[in-house]
Amino acid sequence: EPEEGEAVLETFLKSRPDYRLDPVRPNALPPAMAPSSDGTIRLLPGVFADVGGADAFFVARMKRID
């Protein structure tokens, strides 16, 4: 759900100008995973079904700006 991931990230970044999104690169992930165009990751329950599956997750890497 975007309100549990992307919207939280957007609100955080707007309220904290000392942080920025640090996009995850495709080569940093296993083959079954791919970042979205902004470098965040959304895993759906069907991912990794062949090894037991996974819950849904939203992942965003941020970097603090000094």
Side-chain angles (χ1 to χ4, degrees):
E1 302 293 324
E3 65 273 7
E4 295 177 4
E6 293 88 347
V8 173
L9 174 63
E10 182 179 343
T11 299
F12 176 82
L13 292 174
K14 284 181 180 178
S15 70
R16 295 294 305 263
D18 55 328
Y19 281 83
R20 68 170 175 82
L21 186 61
D22 185 18
V24 176
R25 299 179 194 275
N27 63 353
L29 299 171
M33 297 169 55
S36 62
S37 61
D38 66 357
T40 60
I41 304 161
R42 176 157 301 278
L43 293 178
L44 299 175
V47 176
F48 303 119
D50 59 329
V51 291
D55 289 335
F57 290 95
F58 175 76
V59 179
R61 183 169 61 188
M62 294 172 281
K63 185 170 185 172
R64 188 171 183 180
I65 303 168
D66 293 326

